């Protein structure tokens, strides 16, 4: 389904266009902006998150934090939350072992006594949601003193915005109807 398909159906639903008529280009441009704004807002809602993205990042010895978001060190869509985290203990091993680590709350991070301590294995992370140039920041605790481990992040993902009016998209069950009726 393209945006044009979706908009045509939504416009018909509320009688903006008649049978066989098409919306004007100006109406479609406005509707695309409205729909993308709605999708952006939906990204904050739990029910619109249809999958859990697993992302890995090789940790660098002595590095305390990593930016996350489009163009960040962890180059993914900036997550609204990190639900779970793990640590791959040795990236050079034949069989990789992933150990679960803690995702700290703001209070748990504030209470962490030695934020500059370095050791072999990370025990937890804290996700700073600060909006700095569109990026968040993940802090690892303690800071690794080896370069043979990988951080694993599990973050929920909502549907992406429409890039243009003609790209064909597929959606999980129920999303097409939700988009159509909410756009209408």
């Amino acid at each position: 389904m393209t945006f044009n398909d979706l908009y045509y159906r939504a416009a018909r639903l509320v009688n903006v266009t008649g049978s066989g008529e098409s919306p004007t280009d100006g109406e479609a441009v406005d509707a695309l902006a409205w729909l993308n704004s709605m999708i952006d807002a939906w990204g904050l809602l739990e029910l619109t998150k249809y999958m859990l993205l697993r992302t890995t990042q090789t940790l660098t010895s002595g590095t305390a934090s990593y930016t996350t978001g489009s163009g960040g060190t962890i180059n993914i869509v900036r997550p609204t939350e990190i639900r779970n985290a793990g640590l791959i203990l040795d990236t050079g091993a034949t069989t990789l072992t992933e150990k679960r680590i803690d995702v700290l709350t703001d209070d748990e991070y504030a209470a962490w006594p030695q934020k500059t301590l370095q050791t072999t294995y990370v025990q937890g992370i804290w996700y700073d949601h600060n909006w700095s140039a569109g990026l968040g920041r993940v802090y690892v605790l303690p800071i690794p003193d080896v370069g043979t481990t990988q951080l694993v992040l599990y973050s929920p993902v909502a549907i992406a915005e429409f890039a243009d009016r003609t790209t064909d998209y597929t959606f999980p069950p129920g999303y097409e109807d939700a988009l159509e009726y909410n756009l209408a």
Side-chain angles (χ1 to χ4, degrees):
M1 162 185 278
T2 67
F3 169 79
N4 284 338
D5 299 332
L6 178 69
Y7 182 56
Y8 175 78
R9 288 175 24 196
R12 287 283 302 128
L13 191 64
V14 293
N15 295 318
V16 168
T17 58
S19 181
E21 294 178 339
S22 295
T24 67
D25 278 348
E27 292 169 336
V29 168
D30 288 345
L32 178 60
W34 294 329
L35 181 64
N36 279 337
S37 291
M38 181 184 72
I39 290 170
D40 183 49
W42 279 7
L44 299 174
L45 304 172
E46 191 60 34
L47 289 175
T48 63
K49 298 172 184 174
Y50 68 94
M51 67 173 273
L52 197 61
L53 177 67
R54 181 181 186 270
T55 305
T56 60
Q57 173 65 44
T58 300
L59 298 177
T60 304
S61 178
T63 301
S65 69
Y66 300 83
T67 56
T68 184
S70 297
T73 311
I74 304 170
N75 191 15
I76 58 174
V77 172
R78 183 182 173 277
T80 56
E81 69 175 302
I82 296 173
R83 189 158 298 157
N84 294 299
L87 183 70
I88 295 175
L89 302 177
D90 182 0
T91 56
T94 304
T95 302
L96 298 179
T97 301
E98 182 178 330
K99 176 186 172 219
R100 183 182 174 140
I101 61 173
D102 295 327
V103 178
L104 304 174
T105 66
D106 294 344
D107 290 339
E108 290 169 334
Y109 177 74
W112 191 277
Q114 297 178 324
K115 293 179 178 64
T116 59
L117 177 69
Q118 291 193 24
T119 187
T120 304
Y121 296 119
V122 171
Q123 296 172 14
I125 64 161
W126 174 62
Y127 182 44
D128 182 355
H129 294 84
N130 187 17
W131 185 262
S132 178
L135 302 173
R137 187 170 290 275
V138 174
Y139 289 83
V140 292
L141 298 161
I143 300 166
D145 62 5
V146 296
T148 56
T149 59
Q150 266 187 338
L151 180 63
V152 184
L153 302 177
Y154 294 89
S155 52
V157 176
I159 61 172
E161 296 178 9
F162 284 78
D164 57 48
R165 293 170 36 197
T166 58
T167 300
D168 201 14
Y169 295 92
T170 58
F171 300 100
Y175 279 78
E176 271 186 37
D177 289 341
L179 290 167
E180 177 184 335
Y181 286 103
N182 280 279
L183 179 59

